[in-house]
PDB file of all heavy atoms in Angstrom:
ATOM      1  N   ALA A  99       7.353  -5.583  27.358  1.00 83.00           N
ATOM      2  CA  ALA A  99       7.187  -6.562  28.440  1.00 83.00           C
ATOM      3  C   ALA A  99       5.792  -7.184  28.462  1.00 83.00           C
ATOM      4  O   ALA A  99       5.614  -8.275  28.997  1.00 83.00           O
ATOM      5  CB  ALA A  99       7.483  -5.906  29.789  1.00 83.00           C
ATOM      6  N   ASP A 100       4.809  -6.505  27.879  1.00 82.00           N
ATOM      7  CA  ASP A 100       3.437  -7.011  27.897  1.00 82.00           C
ATOM      8  C   ASP A 100       2.964  -7.508  26.536  1.00 82.00           C
ATOM      9  O   ASP A 100       1.784  -7.843  26.379  1.00 82.00           O
ATOM     10  CB  ASP A 100       2.493  -5.917  28.410  1.00 82.00           C
ATOM     11  CG  ASP A 100       2.637  -5.709  29.903  1.00 82.00           C
ATOM     12  OD1 ASP A 100       2.141  -6.544  30.664  1.00 82.00           O
ATOM     13  OD2 ASP A 100       3.274  -4.711  30.306  1.00 82.00           O
ATOM     14  N   GLN A 101       3.853  -7.570  25.563  1.00 86.00           N
ATOM     15  CA  GLN A 101       3.462  -8.090  24.258  1.00 86.00           C
ATOM     16  C   GLN A 101       3.302  -9.604  24.318  1.00 86.00           C
ATOM     17  O   GLN A 101       3.861 -10.270  25.175  1.00 86.00           O
ATOM     18  CB  GLN A 101       4.502  -7.709  23.200  1.00 86.00           C
ATOM     19  CG  GLN A 101       4.484  -6.234  22.890  1.00 86.00           C
ATOM     20  CD  GLN A 101       5.533  -5.838  21.874  1.00 86.00           C
ATOM     21  OE1 GLN A 101       6.282  -6.659  21.355  1.00 86.00           O
ATOM     22  NE2 GLN A 101       5.595  -4.552  21.584  1.00 86.00           N
ATOM     23  N   GLY A 102       2.507 -10.135  23.384  1.00 88.00           N
ATOM     24  CA  GLY A 102       2.295 -11.577  23.319  1.00 88.00           C
ATOM     25  C   GLY A 102       1.273 -12.097  24.312  1.00 88.00           C
ATOM     26  O   GLY A 102       1.122 -13.307  24.467  1.00 88.00           O
ATOM     27  N   GLN A 103       0.585 -11.192  24.992  1.00 88.00           N
ATOM     28  CA  GLN A 103      -0.408 -11.604  25.979  1.00 88.00           C
ATOM     29  C   GLN A 103      -1.837 -11.266  25.536  1.00 88.00           C
ATOM     30  O   GLN A 103      -2.770 -11.380  26.315  1.00 88.00           O
ATOM     31  CB  GLN A 103      -0.110 -10.933  27.324  1.00 88.00           C
ATOM     32  CG  GLN A 103       1.249 -11.322  27.869  1.00 88.00           C
ATOM     33  CD  GLN A 103       1.572 -10.570  29.147  1.00 88.00           C
ATOM     34  OE1 GLN A 103       0.690 -10.255  29.942  1.00 88.00           O
ATOM     35  NE2 GLN A 103       2.841 -10.282  29.352  1.00 88.00           N
ATOM     36  N   GLY A 104      -1.982 -10.810  24.302  1.00 91.00           N
ATOM     37  CA  GLY A 104      -3.310 -10.518  23.767  1.00 91.00           C
ATOM     38  C   GLY A 104      -3.828  -9.119  24.030  1.00 91.00           C
ATOM     39  O   GLY A 104      -4.970  -8.817  23.685  1.00 91.00           O
ATOM     40  N   LEU A 105      -3.006  -8.244  24.618  1.00 93.00           N
ATOM     41  CA  LEU A 105      -3.483  -6.893  24.914  1.00 93.00           C
ATOM     42  C   LEU A 105      -3.748  -6.086  23.641  1.00 93.00           C
ATOM     43  O   LEU A 105      -4.750  -5.385  23.547  1.00 93.00           O
ATOM     44  CB  LEU A 105      -2.495  -6.148  25.809  1.00 93.00           C
ATOM     45  CG  LEU A 105      -2.458  -6.574  27.261  1.00 93.00           C
ATOM     46  CD1 LEU A 105      -1.360  -5.829  28.011  1.00 93.00           C
ATOM     47  CD2 LEU A 105      -3.797  -6.335  27.924  1.00 93.00           C
ATOM     48  N   GLY A 106      -2.858  -6.184  22.671  1.00 95.00           N
ATOM     49  CA  GLY A 106      -3.065  -5.486  21.409  1.00 95.00           C
ATOM     50  C   GLY A 106      -4.338  -5.965  20.735  1.00 95.00           C
ATOM     51  O   GLY A 106      -5.134  -5.164  20.240  1.00 95.00           O
ATOM     52  N   SER A 107      -4.550  -7.259  20.728  1.00 96.00           N
ATOM     53  CA  SER A 107      -5.774  -7.822  20.145  1.00 96.00           C
ATOM     54  C   SER A 107      -7.009  -7.324  20.870  1.00 96.00           C
ATOM     55  O   SER A 107      -8.016  -6.969  20.242  1.00 96.00           O
ATOM     56  CB  SER A 107      -5.737  -9.350  20.190  1.00 96.00           C
ATOM     57  OG  SER A 107      -4.736  -9.857  19.348  1.00 96.00           O
ATOM     58  N   ARG A 108      -6.955  -7.278  22.182  1.00 97.00           N
ATOM     59  CA  ARG A 108      -8.109  -6.801  22.947  1.00 97.00           C
ATOM     60  C   ARG A 108      -8.374  -5.328  22.689  1.00 97.00           C
ATOM     61  O   ARG A 108      -9.539  -4.909  22.612  1.00 97.00           O
ATOM     62  CB  ARG A 108      -7.910  -7.080  24.435  1.00 97.00           C
ATOM     63  CG  ARG A 108      -8.077  -8.565  24.727  1.00 97.00           C
ATOM     64  CD  ARG A 108      -7.980  -8.974  26.181  1.00 97.00           C
ATOM     65  NE  ARG A 108      -8.548  -8.038  27.107  1.00 97.00           N
ATOM     66  CZ  ARG A 108      -7.975  -7.717  28.278  1.00 97.00           C
ATOM     67  NH1 ARG A 108      -6.832  -8.257  28.637  1.00 97.00           N
ATOM     68  NH2 ARG A 108      -8.562  -6.875  29.094  1.00 97.00           N
ATOM     69  N   LEU A 109      -7.319  -4.540  22.536  1.00 97.00           N
ATOM     70  CA  LEU A 109      -7.507  -3.127  22.208  1.00 97.00           C
ATOM     71  C   LEU A 109      -8.210  -2.978  20.859  1.00 97.00           C
ATOM     72  O   LEU A 109      -9.160  -2.207  20.726  1.00 97.00           O
ATOM     73  CB  LEU A 109      -6.155  -2.393  22.177  1.00 97.00           C
ATOM     74  CG  LEU A 109      -5.528  -2.086  23.526  1.00 97.00           C
ATOM     75  CD1 LEU A 109      -4.064  -1.694  23.364  1.00 97.00           C
ATOM     76  CD2 LEU A 109      -6.299  -0.967  24.232  1.00 97.00           C
ATOM     77  N   VAL A 110      -7.747  -3.725  19.853  1.00 98.00           N
ATOM     78  CA  VAL A 110      -8.352  -3.646  18.523  1.00 98.00           C
ATOM     79  C   VAL A 110      -9.792  -4.139  18.577  1.00 98.00           C
ATOM     80  O   VAL A 110     -10.717  -3.478  18.067  1.00 98.00           O
ATOM     81  CB  VAL A 110      -7.534  -4.449  17.486  1.00 98.00           C
ATOM     82  CG1 VAL A 110      -8.280  -4.546  16.163  1.00 98.00           C
ATOM     83  CG2 VAL A 110      -6.159  -3.812  17.282  1.00 98.00           C
ATOM     84  N   GLN A 111     -10.028  -5.287  19.184  1.00 98.00           N
ATOM     85  CA  GLN A 111     -11.386  -5.856  19.229  1.00 98.00           C
ATOM     86  C   GLN A 111     -12.358  -4.933  19.959  1.00 98.00           C
ATOM     87  O   GLN A 111     -13.506  -4.750  19.518  1.00 98.00           O
ATOM     88  CB  GLN A 111     -11.351  -7.243  19.881  1.00 98.00           C
ATOM     89  CG  GLN A 111     -10.672  -8.263  19.011  1.00 98.00           C
ATOM     90  CD  GLN A 111     -10.323  -9.547  19.759  1.00 98.00           C
ATOM     91  OE1 GLN A 111     -10.240  -9.572  20.983  1.00 98.00           O
ATOM     92  NE2 GLN A 111     -10.112 -10.611  19.009  1.00 98.00           N
ATOM     93  N   THR A 112     -11.922  -4.347  21.054  1.00 98.00           N
ATOM     94  CA  THR A 112     -12.781  -3.420  21.792  1.00 98.00           C
ATOM     95  C   THR A 112     -13.120  -2.215  20.926  1.00 98.00           C
ATOM     96  O   THR A 112     -14.276  -1.777  20.868  1.00 98.00           O
ATOM     97  CB  THR A 112     -12.104  -2.974  23.102  1.00 98.00           C
ATOM     98  OG1 THR A 112     -11.833  -4.140  23.904  1.00 98.00           O
ATOM     99  CG2 THR A 112     -12.979  -2.013  23.884  1.00 98.00           C
ATOM    100  N   GLY A 113     -12.126  -1.679  20.233  1.00 98.00           N
ATOM    101  CA  GLY A 113     -12.364  -0.542  19.351  1.00 98.00           C
ATOM    102  C   GLY A 113     -13.298  -0.886  18.208  1.00 98.00           C
ATOM    103  O   GLY A 113     -14.216  -0.112  17.891  1.00 98.00           O
ATOM    104  N   VAL A 114     -13.103  -2.031  17.595  1.00 98.00           N
ATOM    105  CA  VAL A 114     -13.968  -2.452  16.483  1.00 98.00           C
ATOM    106  C   VAL A 114     -15.414  -2.565  16.962  1.00 98.00           C
ATOM    107  O   VAL A 114     -16.340  -2.093  16.288  1.00 98.00           O
ATOM    108  CB  VAL A 114     -13.469  -3.781  15.863  1.00 98.00           C
ATOM    109  CG1 VAL A 114     -14.520  -4.388  14.941  1.00 98.00           C
ATOM    110  CG2 VAL A 114     -12.155  -3.557  15.123  1.00 98.00           C
ATOM    111  N   GLU A 115     -15.623  -3.159  18.116  1.00 98.00           N
ATOM    112  CA  GLU A 115     -16.988  -3.306  18.629  1.00 98.00           C
ATOM    113  C   GLU A 115     -17.626  -1.953  18.929  1.00 98.00           C
ATOM    114  O   GLU A 115     -18.800  -1.731  18.624  1.00 98.00           O
ATOM    115  CB  GLU A 115     -17.024  -4.214  19.860  1.00 98.00           C
ATOM    116  CG  GLU A 115     -16.817  -5.668  19.514  1.00 98.00           C
ATOM    117  CD  GLU A 115     -17.727  -6.142  18.394  1.00 98.00           C
ATOM    118  OE1 GLU A 115     -18.962  -5.918  18.459  1.00 98.00           O
ATOM    119  OE2 GLU A 115     -17.214  -6.726  17.414  1.00 98.00           O
ATOM    120  N   ARG A 116     -16.869  -1.046  19.513  1.00 97.00           N
ATOM    121  CA  ARG A 116     -17.422   0.285  19.795  1.00 97.00           C
ATOM    122  C   ARG A 116     -17.753   1.028  18.506  1.00 97.00           C
ATOM    123  O   ARG A 116     -18.780   1.702  18.415  1.00 97.00           O
ATOM    124  CB  ARG A 116     -16.461   1.091  20.655  1.00 97.00           C
ATOM    125  CG  ARG A 116     -16.399   0.534  22.062  1.00 97.00           C
ATOM    126  CD  ARG A 116     -15.851   1.512  23.032  1.00 97.00           C
ATOM    127  NE  ARG A 116     -15.686   0.869  24.323  1.00 97.00           N
ATOM    128  CZ  ARG A 116     -15.060   1.424  25.335  1.00 97.00           C
ATOM    129  NH1 ARG A 116     -14.545   2.630  25.210  1.00 97.00           N
ATOM    130  NH2 ARG A 116     -14.956   0.795  26.472  1.00 97.00           N
ATOM    131  N   LEU A 117     -16.903   0.902  17.507  1.00 97.00           N
ATOM    132  CA  LEU A 117     -17.171   1.563  16.228  1.00 97.00           C
ATOM    133  C   LEU A 117     -18.378   0.937  15.534  1.00 97.00           C
ATOM    134  O   LEU A 117     -19.185   1.642  14.926  1.00 97.00           O
ATOM    135  CB  LEU A 117     -15.941   1.513  15.332  1.00 97.00           C
ATOM    136  CG  LEU A 117     -14.757   2.370  15.818  1.00 97.00           C
ATOM    137  CD1 LEU A 117     -13.535   2.133  14.948  1.00 97.00           C
ATOM    138  CD2 LEU A 117     -15.113   3.840  15.859  1.00 97.00           C
ATOM    139  N   ARG A 118     -18.512  -0.362  15.636  1.00 96.00           N
ATOM    140  CA  ARG A 118     -19.685  -1.039  15.063  1.00 96.00           C
ATOM    141  C   ARG A 118     -20.964  -0.506  15.718  1.00 96.00           C
ATOM    142  O   ARG A 118     -21.958  -0.236  15.040  1.00 96.00           O
ATOM    143  CB  ARG A 118     -19.565  -2.553  15.266  1.00 96.00           C
ATOM    144  CG  ARG A 118     -20.660  -3.361  14.582  1.00 96.00           C
ATOM    145  CD  ARG A 118     -20.575  -4.847  14.906  1.00 96.00           C
ATOM    146  NE  ARG A 118     -19.256  -5.437  14.820  1.00 96.00           N
ATOM    147  CZ  ARG A 118     -18.725  -5.963  13.718  1.00 96.00           C
ATOM    148  NH1 ARG A 118     -19.399  -5.966  12.594  1.00 96.00           N
ATOM    149  NH2 ARG A 118     -17.516  -6.501  13.748  1.00 96.00           N
ATOM    150  N   GLU A 119     -20.935  -0.326  17.027  1.00 96.00           N
ATOM    151  CA  GLU A 119     -22.107   0.156  17.768  1.00 96.00           C
ATOM    152  C   GLU A 119     -22.546   1.548  17.334  1.00 96.00           C
ATOM    153  O   GLU A 119     -23.729   1.867  17.397  1.00 96.00           O
ATOM    154  CB  GLU A 119     -21.819   0.152  19.275  1.00 96.00           C
ATOM    155  CG  GLU A 119     -21.726  -1.224  19.876  1.00 96.00           C
ATOM    156  CD  GLU A 119     -21.185  -1.219  21.301  1.00 96.00           C
ATOM    157  OE1 GLU A 119     -20.951  -0.113  21.864  1.00 96.00           O
ATOM    158  OE2 GLU A 119     -20.978  -2.316  21.848  1.00 96.00           O
TER     159      GLU A 119
END
Side-chain angles (χ1 to χ4, degrees):
D100 286 284
Q101 290 178 2
Q103 299 176 33
L105 286 176
S107 293
R108 287 183 37 221
L109 285 166
V110 171
Q111 290 166 340
T112 301
V114 167
E115 287 310 310
R116 290 199 186 171
L117 291 174
R118 186 185 314 271
E119 290 169 4

